[in-house]
Amino acid sequence: MNWNRDKSVRLSKCCIYLFMVAYVLICIFAPQIFKWLVSFGTGSEIQLKYFLATVYTGAVPAGLALWDLRKLLKNISSGDVFIENNVSVLRRLSWYCIAAGLICLVSTIYYPLFLVISVAAAFIGLILRVVKNVFAQAVLIKDENDFTI
């Protein structure tokens, strides 16, 4: 099987749609999922409420990130790679990751393992900021080349 750019973009789109389905299911069934998980440990009803608060607060940047990833892939699949819109999308994605990292950092108050997710989300946000800066430079170079005869 030959792997090419179009197949890679299609795979990425499929993965995003799978994550969107998982996102909706988790948002719907979070109370049942966490009741079940808390029943295995020494968790309490109060801790369950904190988990749900973290999940539903974190669902906002996660949902927005999935939506923007879909837009980014739509642009890429149509051949619009180095455009200002993609720079804006990457900027927003980095802020969504940083927001998720902050939500998880606050959640370490009741569950210290959220620190791992917090650091990972912040690091991904940092990587996205760097990629956004690369895209911004590429947009400038592309615009400059478009005006050159």
Side-chain angles (χ1 to χ4, degrees):
M1 175 167 104
N2 285 337
W3 198 253
N4 59 28
R5 183 184 72 88
D6 292 334
K7 288 180 182 176
S8 180
V9 170
R10 271 186 284 176
L11 175 64
S12 297
K13 284 181 180 180
C14 287
C15 289
I16 287 173
Y17 288 120
L18 286 173
F19 271 94
M20 285 179 165
V21 169
Y23 168 83
V24 169
L25 290 174
I26 288 171
C27 286
I28 292 171
F29 295 109
Q32 292 85 358
I33 293 169
F34 283 103
K35 275 184 187 174
W36 179 70
L37 289 174
V38 167
S39 71
F40 285 114
T42 58
S44 65
E45 279 296 313
I46 293 172
Q47 195 173 25
L48 173 65
K49 290 177 183 176
Y50 290 148
F51 270 114
L52 291 176
T54 299
V55 167
Y56 288 124
T57 306
V60 174
L64 292 170
L66 285 170
W67 189 257
D68 270 352
L69 279 171
R70 187 195 60 78
K71 281 198 285 191
L72 182 64
L73 281 175
K74 182 180 175 188
N75 289 343
I76 290 170
S77 66
S78 66
D80 296 326
V81 179
F82 297 115
I83 59 173
E84 191 60 42
N85 187 25
N86 288 348
V87 174
S88 298
V89 168
L90 287 167
R91 180 180 297 112
R92 287 192 306 270
L93 285 169
S94 71
W95 283 114
Y96 300 148
C97 287
I98 291 168
L102 290 173
I103 291 166
C104 289
L105 184 63
V106 170
S107 299
T108 60
I109 293 170
Y110 72 90
Y111 193 68
L113 286 177
F114 271 120
L115 183 62
V116 174
I117 299 169
S118 177
V119 170
F123 187 67
I124 292 170
L126 175 63
I127 290 170
L128 285 168
R129 297 295 294 181
V130 171
V131 171
K132 185 262 318 170
N133 290 333
V134 170
F135 263 68
Q137 283 300 112
V139 167
L140 289 174
I141 292 169
K142 180 184 169 285
D143 289 345
E144 192 174 290
N145 286 340
D146 288 346
F147 292 121
T148 303
I149 298 176

